């Protein structure tokens, strides 16, 4: 099952979405289990507030979520419990045992799911790439490997922009533009 709930391509489009819309992409159920079951792009690092909308939406899809675990590296505060739609979701954390970019969701009766957590400040285009990669049913990358790959892409893009800026500052486009301009008679 693929569920994608709003990941706008531009900052202008992001303004049109309410602050409560969930940014989530889930992998379709397939024969071979992937390492990740999808990706979640929270709007802040307030785990208590962000878990409310995530677990409420996933309760309807996966059954009642009863426990969530995170690595506290990227969360300033990890609440012990979160009240969601008439029940309590227990929240735990593991520093060395859990990938810092992953959220683990558990349900007593249905199972376990691992989601890539995309940092809130991630640009929309990068978040869209990460959501697609984490939702690939044949995916073999861990959450941290996906984040490292995106960081490499960002570094290459920044290096390209820096090279273009140097080229432009040395007259790169101006020389070519003069050669193309037609000459006028005086």
């Amino acid at each position: 099952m693929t569920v994608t709930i709003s990941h706008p391509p531009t900052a202008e489009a992001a303004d049109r979405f309410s602050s409560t819309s969930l940014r989530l992409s889930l992998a379709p159920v397939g024969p071979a289990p992937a390492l990740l079951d999808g990706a979640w792009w929270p709007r802040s690092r307030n785990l208590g507030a962000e878990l409310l909308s995530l677990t409420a939406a996933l309760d309807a899809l996966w059954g009642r979520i009863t426990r969530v675990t995170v690595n506290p590296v990227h969360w300033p505060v990890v609440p012990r419990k979160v009240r969601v739609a008439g029940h309590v979701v227990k929240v735990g954390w593991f520093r060395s045992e859990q990938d810092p970019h992953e959220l683990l969701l558990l349900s007593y009766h249905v199972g376990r799911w691992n989601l890539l957590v995309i940092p809130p400040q991630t640009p929309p285009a990068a978040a869209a790439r990460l959501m697609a990669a984490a939702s690939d049913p044949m995916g073999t990358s861990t959450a941290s490997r996906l984040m490292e790959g995106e960081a490499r892409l960002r570094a290459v893009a920044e290096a390209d922009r820096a090279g273009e800026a140097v080229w432009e500052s040395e007259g790169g486009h101006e020389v070519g533009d003069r050669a193309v301009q037609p000459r006028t008679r005086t």
Side-chain angles (χ1 to χ4, degrees):
M1 166 193 308
T2 299
V3 175
T4 302
I5 306 173
S6 123
H7 53 82
T10 64
E12 295 80 34
D15 292 338
R16 286 184 267 149
F17 289 89
S18 77
S19 62
T20 59
S21 64
L22 188 61
R23 302 183 297 186
L24 176 69
S25 179
L26 302 176
V29 177
L35 290 178
L36 294 169
D37 297 296
W40 174 48
W41 185 21
R43 295 185 182 282
S44 73
R45 289 289 182 189
N46 181 341
L47 186 60
E50 294 291 340
L51 282 178
L52 289 173
S53 59
L54 177 66
T55 54
L58 293 178
D59 274 358
L61 295 171
W62 290 342
R64 182 179 280 189
I65 303 299
T66 55
R67 182 173 290 276
V68 173
T69 66
V70 297
N71 185 315
V73 169
H74 298 294
W75 301 102
V77 175
V78 178
R80 296 182 67 196
K81 297 176 185 177
V82 176
R83 284 202 158 289
V84 179
H87 72 283
V88 173
V89 176
K90 293 181 182 177
V91 183
W93 58 269
F94 297 97
R95 195 170 293 279
S96 61
E97 297 90 351
Q98 188 166 344
D99 187 319
H101 301 286
E102 192 171 286
L103 178 85
L104 171 67
L105 300 123
L106 298 165
S107 171
Y108 285 132
H109 302 290
V110 183
R112 157 194 173 143
W113 301 272
N114 298 326
L115 297 179
L116 165 68
V117 178
I118 300 170
Q121 70 278 9
T122 303
R129 282 190 300 272
L130 287 164
M131 290 179 112
S135 300
D136 181 357
M138 304 304 280
T140 59
S141 288
T142 64
S144 283
R145 271 193 252 143
L146 288 176
M147 294 302 292
E148 289 165 5
E150 187 58 39
R152 281 193 300 277
L153 280 175
R154 188 172 35 251
V156 167
E158 288 171 4
D160 286 348
R161 281 192 297 273
E164 287 175 11
V166 168
W167 187 65
E168 295 262 350
S169 71
E170 293 175 350
H173 278 298
E174 292 177 13
V175 173
D177 291 345
R178 284 190 202 123
V180 174
Q181 294 176 352
R183 293 184 181 183
T184 59
R185 291 187 178 189
T186 55

